[in-house]
Amino acid sequence: MESIPPLFTAAIRHLIAGSILLGWAWWKGERPTRQGWRAGIVLGFLFFFVSHGLLHWAELKVPSGVAALVIAIEPAIVALLLPVLKLGPRPRGLTWAGLALGAASVALLFRPDVSAGQGVSIGLVAVLVSAVAWSLGIVYSRKLQPANGSTLNAALPLVCGSLMLLAGGLARGEHHAFVLSRLLPESILGLLFLIFFGSLTAFSAYAWLLKHFEPTLVATHTYVNPIVAVLLGWALAGEKLTGSILLSMGLAILAISLVNRGSRTR
C-alpha cells in the first residue's frame, strides 16, 4: 500500500482472483443460483468490504504483525457469536477462559510500547471490527451458501466484495492517488502475491473448509498466522518486537487452544 491506496489494493486483488475463479466455475459448467448470489453479496460485504476494507486501511498505521495478533482472536469471537445468534451451543468453562485470554491479548496491544504513534489506536479498533465482521461471515457462511458449487462459493463473495470495495475507494477519492506511473515494484509484487496466494489459493481452500468443517475448527488457522506475521514483520519489514507483542502472541495462541478444546463435541 505504499503506492496503491488501501481499498483499491483490496478491490484489485479480489476482483482478479474472483474473476479467475468465476471463469473456471463457468467452464466446469457451474452456474450461479439466486441463493449463491445472495450468499455472495452478504459474505462479500462481511469478508471483504468490511473486514478486508478496514484491515487494509488500518495497516497504513498498524504494523502487520500487530494486526495479525488482533485477528488471531477470531476463533474466540466465533465461539461467542454462535450462541448469541442461536447457531451453536453456549460456551463452556474452557471456552470462557479462552475468551478472557483473547481479550487480554488484544488489550496488551493498546499499551504505549505498541500503540504509540498517530492513528495506531484507531487502527487497532478498526482491525478489531474487521475481525468481528470476518467472524460473522464464518458463522453465517454454512447457512447461506449452496451445498454444491464449491468454486462458485469462493468466486461470488470475492467478486461481490471487490465491487463494493471499488465503489468505496471511488467514494473516498482513492482514484486521484492511484497513478500507474508512480507504482513501486514492491507494491506490484505484493499485490501479485496477495492475488494468487492470499485470494485465489487461500480463499478457495477456506471456502471449501467452511462447507465441510465446524466454524470454530476452521478459524484455528490463526494458530499459525500471528507467529508468521510477527516474525516476518520483524525480519523483513523492520517492525518492532516488544515485550507486550510477545506476551500478546503467547496469550492469543493459548486462548485459541482453550477455545478449540472447549468447543469440541463428544
Side-chain angles (χ1 to χ4, degrees):
M1 291 179 293
E2 289 183 6
S3 61
I4 307 174
L7 297 188
F8 271 25
T9 297
I12 293 168
R13 63 177 281 199
H14 296 319
L15 181 60
I16 294 175
S19 299
I20 292 172
L21 286 173
L22 187 60
W24 182 29
W26 199 274
W27 181 76
K28 292 194 303 178
E30 296 182 25
R31 297 294 183 269
T33 63
R34 182 177 297 180
Q35 181 187 3
W37 278 116
R38 183 168 60 247
I41 292 170
V42 174
L43 296 179
F45 176 78
L46 291 171
F47 280 147
F48 302 118
F49 181 67
V50 179
S51 184
H52 274 191
L54 284 173
L55 178 62
H56 282 65
W57 174 81
E59 287 199 21
L60 292 172
K61 300 291 185 181
V62 179
S64 59
V66 173
L69 288 176
V70 177
I71 293 170
I73 67 163
E74 279 175 6
I77 299 173
V78 169
L80 191 60
L81 286 174
L82 285 171
V84 169
L85 299 172
K86 298 181 180 181
L87 295 172
R90 294 181 62 183
R92 297 188 293 178
L94 284 176
T95 305
W96 282 116
L99 290 169
L101 286 178
S105 72
V106 173
L108 279 170
L109 299 175
F110 284 86
R111 289 174 56 86
D113 61 328
V114 181
S115 62
Q118 186 178 4
V120 176
S121 294
I122 296 175
L124 285 171
V125 173
V127 177
L128 186 58
V129 176
S130 166
V132 173
W134 190 275
S135 300
L136 278 169
I138 293 175
V139 169
Y140 278 123
S141 61
R142 295 185 75 179
K143 185 177 180 180
L144 291 172
Q145 289 188 317
N148 53 2
S150 58
T151 305
L152 283 176
N153 286 344
L156 295 180
L158 284 165
V159 172
C160 293
S162 68
L163 295 177
M164 297 177 199
L165 285 162
L166 187 61
L170 290 171
R172 291 188 70 241
E174 290 190 356
H175 53 290
H176 298 301
F178 184 52
V179 181
L180 292 177
S181 60
R182 297 179 185 174
L183 292 184
L184 298 174
E186 295 85 356
S187 293
I188 296 172
L189 290 173
L191 184 60
L192 288 173
F193 181 89
L194 289 173
I195 290 168
F196 290 103
F197 292 98
S199 295
L200 189 61
T201 304
F203 192 71
S204 297
Y206 199 77
W208 181 86
L209 288 167
L210 285 172
K211 293 301 297 180
H212 293 84
F213 294 93
E214 291 300 316
T216 48
L217 181 61
V218 176
T220 55
H221 70 283
T222 48
Y223 275 121
V224 178
N225 285 4
I227 300 173
V228 173
V230 167
L231 293 179
L232 285 179
W234 168 72
L236 300 179
E239 296 176 1
K240 61 183 179 180
L241 198 58
T242 68
S244 295
I245 291 174
L246 292 173
L247 182 56
S248 175
M249 182 166 62
L251 288 177
I253 294 169
L254 181 57
I256 299 165
S257 175
L258 291 174
V259 169
N260 189 34
R261 290 175 61 187
S263 301
R264 287 177 186 161
T265 55
R266 292 185 180 275

